[in-house]
Amino acid sequence: MYYGEILKKLQDEDKNPVNRMYLHEISMKWQVFQQLAEDYQKAENKELVAALNEFITSLSNRKYKYNPSSRNGFQDDSPLFSARYLDDLVTVLIQRTEIQKKIGVSWGYQAFSIHLKFNPPSLMLMGINPMFEQNMSVPVLSLVQKMDFQFRITGKRNYRKYRIAFPLIQFHDFKNLNELDYIRVDHYAKLAKETFSKSRSIVISETLEDRFVPNIRTSSFDAIFVLKKQYRSEGSGELSLQTVNLLEERIRELLNERPEESLGFKNEGIIEE
């Protein structure tokens, strides 16, 4: 569990006795969701969302915030207050599809191949040194299909072998989505589509920054899910079960989508977009 790893690391590293007590309290609340998530095929979304909402409410307790007078508590930028628990929610939804059982499919924070190209030093040397090149992205929470490619110049015996990681679906999770983060992750979504045109990218956030309305039509995202269905300033709110259900439906749709067969020619004799 991604958030569980954060808790464990903080418990191992923080020597402040009050903070260790706080981390123990937070860990006990987290265990409720974690136990449900581990039994992901039986746990219902209703249970998962309820447990996560209770955990988020508990985590928002002001006593966990850093107090400069007592020097107890955690800074606002502590990973304790990150959106990693949303990564665990998405992981449950992915695991239910059983896509991970497919050969070569990998799930987690990982890099994918970008900037694929043949780049020989010159046209005259292509038959000697074709120089296939690729770079790797930064690690992104994603499904990746790993494939081995080998090729040889016609007339030669020896093959050259390369491993390419094709991005299938990327997830970008936030507690609050603002314009700068939106632009940043859109860059990764564009890189993924350049590598694999059927790559899909989903943004998940609890809230939206005030007065920020993303224009998804000009982006490379396939969907943005605002789990609390509100702007940041509109109160604490709760994750919406309806939105989580829609997120799961969209994941399954993306994994199973097929191009629609064009039968328009049977009526008009024309095939067009």
Side-chain angles (χ1 to χ4, degrees), residues 36-94:
L36 288 169
E38 289 172 353
D39 195 12
Y40 57 85
Q41 291 292 12
K42 292 184 179 180
E44 297 182 359
N45 285 349
K46 182 179 180 179
E47 298 174 294
L48 291 166
V49 171
L52 204 49
N53 276 324
E54 185 174 346
F55 169 75
I56 293 170
T57 299
S58 175
L59 188 62
S60 66
N61 192 319
R62 292 186 64 181
K63 73 177 183 180
Y64 298 137
K65 299 287 187 179
Y66 182 72
N67 185 324
S69 299
S70 65
R71 297 186 180 180
N72 296 326
F74 304 91
Q75 301 281 358
D76 289 342
D77 60 356
S78 168
L80 186 71
F81 301 120
S82 71
R84 280 296 175 99
Y85 47 76
L86 295 182
D87 297 349
D88 292 313
L89 176 61
V90 174
T91 297
V92 170
L93 305 183
I94 289 293

Side-chain angles (χ1 to χ4, degrees), residues 130-193:
M131 287 186 64
F132 176 82
E133 295 180 356
Q134 67 171 320
N135 294 319
M136 301 301 291
S137 72
V138 299
V140 176
L141 184 65
S142 56
L143 274 174
V144 167
Q145 176 71 61
K146 296 180 178 178
M147 301 185 71
D148 292 333
F149 283 82
Q150 57 182 13
F151 69 90
R152 67 181 180 185
I153 302 299
T154 302
K156 286 196 170 185
R157 284 187 173 185
N158 297 330
Y159 285 87
R160 294 171 182 259
K161 183 176 180 180
Y162 296 89
R163 173 161 292 180
I164 300 176
F166 287 101
L168 303 182
I169 308 179
Q170 302 85 51
F171 296 87
H172 305 279
D173 298 342
F174 300 94
K175 295 191 76 169
N176 180 66
L177 180 64
N178 59 43
E179 188 171 5
L180 288 178
D181 285 332
Y182 179 83
I183 294 171
R184 175 174 59 83
V185 295
D186 185 42
H187 171 67
Y188 301 135
K190 288 178 180 177
L191 289 175
K193 285 187 181 293

